[in-house]
Amino acid sequence: MIRPRRKARPARPFDGGAIELREQDRDASRTAAAPDAPAWAASARGAVIVPALAALALGLWGLTRQGTLWRDESVTYQVAHRSLPEIVDLLGGADAVHGLHYLAMHALFGVWDGGLLTLRLPSAVAVAAAAGLVAATGLRLTGRPAVGLVAGLVFAVTPEVQMYAQEGRSYALVCALVALATWQFTGLGPDATPGRWFRYGAVVLTAALLHEFAVLALLAHGVALRFSPAAASRARRCFAVTAAAVTVALAPLAVLSAAQSGQVSWISGPGAREWCEIAGFAALAVVCRWFLARRGGSAAAVGTPALALALLPTAVLLSAAVHQPVYVDRYVLYSHIGLALLVGAALVRAADGAGRVVRGRAARAAAVGAAGLLCAPALLPVSAQMRTPDSRKDDVTAIAAEAARLSAGADAVLFTPARRREWTLSYPGRLAGTADIALAESPAASGTLQGTEVAPGEIGRRLSRARVVVVLADPEGQPLDTTPAERVKRRVLARDFTVCARTDLKGGRVTLYARTVCPPPAAD
C-alpha cells in the first residue's frame, strides 16, 4: 500500500521553502510521516505534554531544598511580605527591575502564604510551561513531533534550567514568557493579523517588565527575521512596529533601573570557569546549527531562530562590559530555549541517519532513546546536588539559626557589610531581644532592601558601649568593603574585642565577640 505524501506546510518566516530536502531526506520524511491525521495529532499532543510533565516532575522534586533559603530568595520573600505602599516606596529607589515580580508574589502570598512552596512553585510551573512551549515551537517549525518532543526534553533536563525551576526569583517566569513569545513569533507569517502581532508584543513586554534583559529576545527574533530568505516585507514591517512599541513602553523602567545601576556594581564579569561554560554553550549551538544545515531536512528549519536566541542575548551582555559588566547567566536563562531546539533537532536528524542504516521508525526512536540513556547518568548527580543547600551561594537559614544560637549571651548584633542584614530579615524572630547596633531605620521604614545605618562615628560609639556582639560577615577571602562605616566596624572589633566563638557556614561567617570575658558557650 502506497502512503500519500503529506501536503507541504504553509510558509513560515524562517523556512518557507528556503531549505530543500535532499533525496535521502525525502525518504526519511516519508517514513516518519504519520499514517493519518488523527494519529499525527495525537503524536503532536504527546510531544508537547510529555516534556511539560517531565519538567514539572523535576521541578517538584526536592522543591523545598531541605527548608533553606539563599539571599536572593530571601529578598523576594521579605519584600513580598511588605505592604503595597512599602513595596512601591522601595521600587522608587532600588530593585525596580524586579518590581513586577515582587508585586506578583505579594499578591500570591496574600492568597496563599505557604512559605517556600508559595515562593518557588511559580518557577516550577513556569519551567514546565516553557518545556511544553519549546516542544510546540520545534513541532511548528519542522512539522515533526519527534523534534518537538526531544527539544522539550532536552530543555527540561538542562541543569541550569532545573536550578532556576526551584528559585524564588523571576528568571523561570521570564523564560516561560520568552518561550511563549518565540512560539508566537514562529507562526507570524505574512498573513498574520494585527491582533496576533499585538499579542506577541504584549508577551515580550511582560517578560521585559519582569526582567528588562528579556528584551534581548526581541533582538534575537529580529535578527532571525532579517536573515530569513523567506520572510515577507510585510512581516518585517509589522515586526519593526511591534519592536518599537515594546521599546517605548519599556523605556520608563529602563531609565529608572539605570539610575539604580549601583546595585549591580558587584558584577565583575565571567571568571575562567564561566568563560569555559559560555564557550562550550556557544560551540555546541554552532556545531548543531552546522550539522543541521549540512544534512538538511525539515529539522534544519529550527536553525536560524534557535541560533539567534541561543547566542545573541549572551553576546550583547558580554559586549556591554566595555561600559559596565552586566553578564550573569541567569539573566539570559531563556537562551537555553534556542540551544534545546538546536540539540533536539540535531538528535532527531542524527536518528534519521541511523534509521537509514537500520530501517524503521523504531530504529530512530531507539537511537534517540540511547542518547538519552547515555546522558541521564551524567546529569543525575548534578540534578541531585542542585536540590541541596550547598547548590547556592549561601545558606540564609543556617546562618540565621547560628546567629540566634550565639546571640543567647550577646547584647548586640552587627552586620559587616551592612547588606548581610538580609540573612536575618526573613527570620525576624531569631534575633529578638538582640539590638541591631548599627541600624538607623528598618528596611521597610527606609524604603530600602537592607535598611539604613547610622554614621560611622556613631557606630564606633555604640560598639564602645557593647559588651558582647554577634557579627555576621562574609566568609574569609571575600573582598572587603572599604566604606568608612565598614572600616570603623573592623577597626573597633579588632582593637577592643576578643573572638569567643566562630562558625563558618555556606557563604557566611558568624562570630561571637566579647570585650572582656567570653560568655558561657551557647547551648546547641
Side-chain angles (χ1 to χ4, degrees), residues 65 68 385 387-395 506:
R65 216 162 45 246
T68 60
Q385 193 273 340
R387 288 155 176 84
T388 67
D390 284 342
S391 64
R392 268 54 178 186
K393 289 183 179 179
D394 57 11
D395 186 344
K506 175 67 176 179

Side-chain angles (χ1 to χ4, degrees), residues 48 138 233 240 300 371 396:
V48 174
S233 58
V396 168

Side-chain angles (χ1 to χ4, degrees), residues 7 33 65 123 126 136 169 172 264 294 351 382 397 411 476 509:
K7 293 181 179 179
R65 216 162 45 246
S123 293
R169 296 295 273 176
V264 295
R294 179 179 174 84
V382 177
T397 306
D411 52 14
E476 189 175 9
R509 166 177 281 185

Side-chain angles (χ1 to χ4, degrees), residues 317-379:
L317 290 190
L318 289 173
S319 300
V322 174
H323 172 65
Q324 178 180 339
V326 291
Y327 172 80
V328 180
D329 56 0
R330 58 184 177 268
Y331 293 170
V332 287
L333 179 66
Y334 55 84
S335 63
H336 285 280
I337 296 169
L339 184 64
L341 286 167
L342 287 167
V343 172
L347 285 173
V348 171
R349 193 65 188 87
D352 286 342
R356 285 194 296 271
V357 177
V358 181
R359 294 287 180 180
R361 186 186 305 172
R364 286 191 299 277
V368 176
L373 289 174
L374 289 173
C375 293
L379 293 176

Side-chain angles (χ1 to χ4, degrees), residues 102-495:
Y102 291 152
L103 293 171
M105 293 305 297
H106 173 79
L108 184 57
F109 275 112
V111 175
W112 172 44
D113 197 345
L116 291 177
L117 285 177
T118 304
L119 182 68
R120 294 179 182 148
L121 191 58
S123 293
V125 173
V127 165
L133 287 162
V134 169
T137 302
L139 174 62
R140 168 174 276 176
L141 285 171
T142 66
R144 298 189 62 182
V147 172
L149 174 65
V150 177
L153 289 174
V154 167
F155 178 83
V157 302
T158 299
E160 192 173 5
V161 171
Q162 290 188 55
M163 181 172 183
Y164 292 104
Q166 299 189 330
E167 190 92 348
R169 296 295 273 176
S170 64
Y171 309 113
L173 299 172
V174 170
C175 193
L177 287 169
V178 171
L180 175 57
T182 302
W183 176 78
Q184 291 174 308
F185 178 62
T186 55
L188 291 172
D191 57 344
T193 63
R196 291 175 65 188
W197 282 103
F198 175 83
R199 289 191 291 274
Y200 163 73
V203 171
V204 174
L205 178 60
T206 304
L209 290 174
L210 277 170
H211 195 283
E212 60 189 342
F213 288 157
V215 77
L216 297 176
L218 187 69
L219 173 64
H221 292 164
V223 169
L225 189 64
R226 168 65 182 81
F227 288 98
S228 170
S233 58
R234 181 180 180 275
R236 289 178 172 146
R237 289 195 303 271
C238 289
F239 179 85
V241 171
T242 303
V246 170
T247 303
V248 169
L250 187 62
L253 176 61
V255 171
L256 181 58
S257 62
Q260 301 171 0
S261 60
Q263 284 188 270
V264 295
S265 59
W266 56 269
I267 300 176
S268 58
R273 178 179 176 180
E274 288 178 297
W275 275 118
C276 289
E277 292 173 351
I278 293 167
F281 183 101
L284 180 58
V286 170
V287 167
C288 288
R289 176 66 180 92
W290 170 83
F291 174 77
L292 291 169
R294 179 179 174 84
R295 300 300 296 272
S298 60
V302 306
T304 303
L307 188 67
L309 189 58
L311 299 186
L312 269 179
T314 296
V316 171
L317 290 190
L318 289 173
S319 300
V322 174
H323 172 65
Q324 178 180 339
V326 291
Y327 172 80
V328 180
D329 56 0
R330 58 184 177 268
Y331 293 170
V332 287
L333 179 66
Y334 55 84
S335 63
H336 285 280
I337 296 169
L339 184 64
L341 286 167
L342 287 167
V343 172
L347 285 173
V348 171
R349 193 65 188 87
D352 286 342
R356 285 194 296 271
V357 177
V358 181
R359 294 287 180 180
R361 186 186 305 172
R364 286 191 299 277
V368 176
L373 289 174
L374 289 173
C375 293
L379 293 176
L380 187 57
V382 177
S383 298
Q385 193 273 340
M386 284 181 177
R387 288 155 176 84
T388 67
D390 284 342
S391 64
R392 268 54 178 186
K393 289 183 179 179
D394 57 11
D395 186 344
V396 168
T397 306
I399 293 171
E402 181 62 12
R405 188 182 72 85
L406 291 181
S407 69
D411 52 14
V413 61
L414 180 70
F415 301 90
T416 176
R419 60 182 175 273
R420 296 300 171 244
R421 186 171 284 105
E422 183 57 53
W423 286 336
T424 62
L425 293 178
S426 294
Y427 302 96
R430 293 285 177 89
L431 296 175
T434 306
D436 188 341
I437 199 168
L439 186 65
E441 264 193 308
S442 69
S446 61
T448 61
L449 286 173
Q450 287 91 31
T452 57
E453 296 193 339
V454 296
E458 179 61 20
I459 292 175
R461 284 189 290 273
R462 291 184 181 185
L463 275 174
S464 68
R465 297 192 293 267
R467 297 179 303 101
V468 181
V469 182
V470 175
V471 177
L472 281 73
D474 284 334
E476 189 175 9
Q478 291 294 311
L480 297 175
D481 282 28
T482 58
T483 62
E486 300 305 328
R487 289 201 300 266
V488 166
K489 293 175 187 178
R490 292 194 296 269
R491 184 175 67 248
V492 174
L493 288 171
R495 185 189 64 200

